[in-house]
Amino acid sequence: MKKFINVSPFQPPKYLVAGIYKAVDNERLKYENETSFPIIPVINGYVEKGEEITIITIVSAHENSIINYKTFKNAVNELAEKNSFKVNFEEINIPFDNSLEVQLDVFRQLISLISDNDKLFCDITFGTKVTNQVLTMSVNFGYRVCKDVIPGCIVYGEKDHNTGEMKIYDITSLVYLDEFVRVAAESGIGNPLTAIKMMMNWGEEDA
């Protein structure tokens, strides 16, 4: 099953401005409607008519996070009706706390929701730096430990507060690069830097 992981933002709802995210390097993320949530273009681009998906959202015990999650669910339900797909919501409720104990519990709950044959999508735009690390770890767990799990698309959304321009970046290649580094280290591959240059199509000037 396709599963989409995200974090409900902490911003006050009045500051969570909707806009059109410009897709960078991935045309499937092109979405011509305004949204406050970068995972929406991902869902729009990767879910087929008639499919059933699961959306996993981390919701902190913080008023803004709770309110924004309700807004997000409404946006997803509208998209599901428009594009004719079925959606299941999984909510991971956590304290508004960055302690290691809480982050480990988030990881525990996330990986319990990942199964063999899943295709994982993830938005790391919102949440703390620590929580975003946990999201990445959960995707790594999925494709390294479970059977036939692959990363579908990992994204990061940004807004230029000077110009108002909004962009969405596909950073999935960083996940694969991290996996290559791990395999290279474990296998003792000779001259790993050269192998990375070849894989990334880097010239000498890029090294």
Side-chain angles (χ1 to χ4, degrees):
M1 178 179 283
K2 292 176 181 176
K3 294 180 178 175
F4 297 78
I5 304 170
N6 71 317
V7 178
S8 184
F10 303 138
Q11 287 95 324
K14 65 179 180 180
Y15 294 128
L16 195 63
V17 180
I20 296 177
Y21 280 93
K22 180 181 178 182
V24 180
D25 298 330
N26 184 345
E27 285 298 311
R28 295 187 72 168
L29 299 177
K30 187 176 181 180
Y31 186 64
E32 298 299 338
N33 298 301
E34 291 190 345
T35 181
S36 300
F37 308 97
I39 195 71
I40 293 289
V42 183
I43 298 169
N44 180 73
Y46 283 90
V47 178
E48 305 295 333
K49 182 178 179 179
E51 275 193 303
E52 180 174 356
I53 67 169
T54 295
I55 296 179
I56 304 168
T57 306
I58 299 169
V59 183
S60 296
H62 184 288
E63 182 180 7
N64 294 338
S65 181
I66 295 168
I67 293 172
N68 291 331
Y69 180 55
K70 292 178 181 178
T71 303
F72 170 67
K73 287 180 70 176
N74 289 337
V76 172
N77 284 327
E78 288 177 6
L79 184 63
E81 183 175 358
K82 176 184 176 184
N83 291 0
S84 301
F85 62 86
K86 182 178 179 181
V87 58
N88 305 300
F89 293 97
E90 291 282 356
E91 184 176 343
I92 297 179
N93 294 290
I94 63 171
F96 186 57
D97 182 351
N98 279 322
S99 68
L100 178 60
E101 180 181 3
V102 169
Q103 302 307 320
L104 290 174
D105 188 54
V106 171
F107 180 68
R108 177 188 63 80
Q109 293 190 65
L110 279 172
I111 64 175
S112 72
L113 295 171
I114 297 174
S115 306
D116 292 346
N117 304 303
D118 282 343
K119 192 170 186 178
L120 303 178
F121 301 81
C122 185
D123 171 24
I124 64 167
T125 304
F126 301 120
T128 66
K129 292 180 175 65
V130 180
T131 302
N132 287 334
Q133 177 68 24
V134 173
L135 264 61
T136 303
M137 288 167 54
S138 70
V139 173
N140 289 342
F141 169 88
Y143 78 84
R144 289 175 179 170
V145 178
C146 300
K147 182 180 179 182
D148 296 327
V149 169
I150 60 172
C153 186
I154 317 299
V155 301
Y156 174 76
E158 71 169 12
K159 178 178 180 179
D160 186 323
H161 292 283
N162 292 319
T163 65
E165 185 178 27
M166 301 168 73
K167 297 179 180 179
I168 183 169
Y169 298 89
D170 180 349
I171 61 170
T172 315
S173 59
L174 295 179
V175 176
Y176 287 112
L177 180 58
D178 178 66
E179 177 67 3
F180 176 84
V181 171
R182 181 188 69 84
V183 172
E186 290 181 355
S187 62
I189 187 172
N191 204 344
L193 181 57
T194 298
I196 291 175
K197 287 179 181 178
M198 293 177 61
M199 182 180 72
M200 301 302 296
N201 196 28
W202 287 342
E204 289 300 323
E205 66 278 6
D206 298 314

